[in-house]
Amino acid sequence: DTGVSQDPRHKITKRGQNVTFRCDPISEHNRLYWYRQTLGQGPEFLTYFQNEAQLEKSRLLSDRFSAERPKGSFSTLEIQRTEQGDSAMYLCASSLVSRQAFFGQGTRLTVV
Amino acid sequence: AQTVTQSQPEMSVQEAETVTLSCTYDTSESDYYLFWYKQPPSRQMILVIRQEAYKQQNATENRFSVNFQKAAKSFSLKISDSQLGDAAMYFCAYREGYALNFGKGTSLLVTP
């Protein structure tokens, strides 16, 4: 499968714990995006990378959220000190510059 | 911030019939892109159709077509000859630059 891959698919964590999600984009894509989707809403943009550079991060939801793309390939999204309000689907997408974005299946986070 | 409004939370169509999903958006820009994405239950979001704002001709992709009214900032999706596999959430999205801004979605039910 050469699509966007996200791991894990599901994560249940206790409030206050840290979680990290991984995204493997389509191999030749230089842009990678993270979105959050809560129940009954459309995806909400969080951040994006062009190669290894994080070009927009002002829309990350709080300073508990951070993302990396160390070698311009896979990316990780970390949430520190999780709260119940962080429960959502976290979507990753990748694209070539100015081309259509391809989405992964998402990581569903449940904070209990 | 750009906003995308989908006024129909749910729509229903019979197999083989035609259905139109509505979308309006707000922008002060003249050059942008519009998209319709489909999100089946527990599956990844896939692109259905895209429209460049500078193109007057409405985009079509097989059974899917759009009615793009730039002055009215309206971008509706028409699905012809509906099939059971068309059942999904449909999201309208606007892109200016790097981020997609999504509406809240319309849930499409297809009945036999």
Side-chain angles (χ1 to χ4, degrees):
Chain A
D1 188 344
T2 57
V4 178
S5 176
Q6 292 189 246
D7 184 69
R9 294 287 309 280
H10 303 274
K11 176 73 176 178
I12 300 174
T13 191
K14 291 185 179 180
R15 192 172 49 186
Q17 297 294 304
N18 298 345
V19 294
T20 300
F21 310 138
R22 177 179 170 124
C23 172
D24 287 89
I26 294 171
S27 59
E28 64 268 26
H29 285 182
N30 50 7
R31 281 195 175 176
L32 187 149
Y33 312 82
W34 285 99
Y35 288 80
R36 183 181 79 157
Q37 186 177 19
T38 54
L39 203 60
Q41 302 291 322
E44 173 188 14
F45 173 81
L46 297 178
T47 187
Y48 93 106
F49 295 83
Q50 184 157 316
N51 301 314
E52 66 274 14
Q54 190 173 14
L55 298 185
E56 173 57 64
K57 57 182 180 180
S58 66
R59 288 162 71 174
L60 284 167
L61 300 163
S62 79
D63 59 7
R64 298 184 297 107
F65 287 71
S66 63
E68 293 184 341
R69 194 183 184 197
K71 295 183 179 179
S73 56
F74 73 92
S75 175
T76 57
L77 177 70
E78 181 182 18
I79 309 173
Q80 296 182 327
R81 304 181 303 281
T82 52
E83 302 172 356
Q84 285 191 320
D86 297 332
S87 295
M89 177 76 83
Y90 291 84
L91 299 171
C92 176
S94 72
S95 74
L96 293 168
V97 174
S98 298
R99 297 294 187 183
Q100 79 174 76
F102 291 82
F103 283 82
Q105 290 187 284
T107 294
R108 182 170 295 284
L109 173 67
T110 302
V111 181
V112 298
Chain B
Q2 297 83 16
T3 59
V4 178
T5 302
Q6 295 180 247
S7 59
Q8 306 152 315
E10 287 184 353
M11 290 285 285
S12 181
V13 64
Q14 276 196 314
E15 219 175 345
E17 297 296 308
T18 296
V19 65
T20 298
L21 309 184
S22 301
C23 174
T24 59
Y25 59 94
D26 183 28
T27 184
S28 57
E29 300 299 323
S30 60
D31 189 17
Y32 50 87
Y33 293 84
L34 295 163
F35 305 84
W36 279 97
Y37 279 88
K38 170 185 177 182
Q39 188 177 40
S42 301
R43 295 187 63 184
Q44 67 207 93
M45 196 168 300
I46 56 174
L47 180 66
V48 174
I49 199 165
R50 64 179 272 171
Q51 174 81 42
E52 292 90 340
Y54 66 86
K55 289 187 178 178
Q56 293 189 342
Q57 187 172 9
N58 289 325
T60 62
E61 288 287 343
N62 301 314
R63 299 183 293 108
F64 299 89
S65 61
V66 299
N67 183 4
F68 174 48
Q69 302 287 330
K70 191 173 184 179
K73 297 179 184 175
S74 171
F75 182 60
S76 60
L77 174 69
K78 185 170 83 170
I79 306 174
S80 303
D81 186 26
S82 296
Q83 300 175 358
L84 294 177
D86 294 333
M89 283 293 291
Y90 285 81
F91 292 96
C92 177
Y94 165 103
R95 191 188 83 198
E96 179 205 285
Y98 48 83
L100 289 166
N101 295 284
F102 288 87
K104 290 187 176 183
T106 296
S107 177
L108 179 65
L109 175 66
V110 182
T111 57

